[in-house]
């Protein structure tokens, strides 16, 4: 709603995702006829694709929620990386943090 990345990935890549608006000049003559001229064409923002496996992500979030509940913790953080390819398979934090 704010049209600005507030946190996380959206905040980190806000400039790339945002794109650029066009710049347009509009003039009106004495007969109320409109004239416009586009000074700068809009540039669409880039796409960002996250590749975390949804099934592994679901399991990680459920396990983290259970661990926080079992230990009566206030928050938690979990990650699961694949060392051979240095890929992140899951990152989890409960929704109430």
């Amino acid at each position: 709603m704010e049209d600005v990345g507030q946190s996380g990935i959206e905040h980190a890549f806000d400039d790339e995702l945002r794109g650029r608006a066009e710049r347009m000049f509009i003039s009106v003559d004495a007969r109320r006829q409109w004239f416009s001229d586009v000074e700068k064409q809009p540039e669409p923002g880039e796409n960002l694709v996250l590749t975390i496996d949804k099934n592994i992500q679901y399991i990680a979030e459920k396990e983290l929620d259970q661990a926080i509940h079992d230990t009566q913790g206030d928050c938690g953080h979990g990650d699961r990386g694949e060392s051979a390819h240095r890929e992140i398979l899951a990152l989890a934090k409960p929704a109430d943090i």
Side-chain angles (χ1 to χ4, degrees), residues 3-59:
D3 201 29
V4 174
Q6 298 297 304
S7 63
I9 295 292
E10 288 182 2
H11 177 71
F13 290 93
D14 189 63
D15 288 339
E16 292 85 351
L17 294 170
R18 177 181 308 279
R20 303 288 176 251
E22 72 180 18
R23 180 180 255 166
M24 177 180 267
F25 292 102
I26 299 175
S27 302
V28 180
D29 67 10
R31 294 185 181 139
R32 295 187 178 177
Q33 291 183 357
W34 293 54
F35 301 93
S36 63
D37 183 31
V38 176
E39 180 181 280
K40 184 177 178 186
Q41 295 293 326
E43 298 174 21
E46 298 294 324
N47 292 325
L48 182 64
V49 178
L50 303 178
T51 60
I52 294 175
D53 182 281
K54 67 179 181 179
N55 295 321
I56 295 173
Q57 180 71 27
Y58 175 79
I59 293 167

Side-chain angles (χ1 to χ4, degrees), residues 68-93:
I68 291 170
H69 179 268
D70 292 348
T71 61
Q72 299 178 354
D74 293 326
C75 62
H77 170 82
D79 58 48
R80 170 66 176 101
E82 212 275 80
S83 60
H85 299 101
R86 300 187 195 285
E87 295 176 329
I88 297 172
L89 301 179
L91 287 172
K93 68 175 188 172

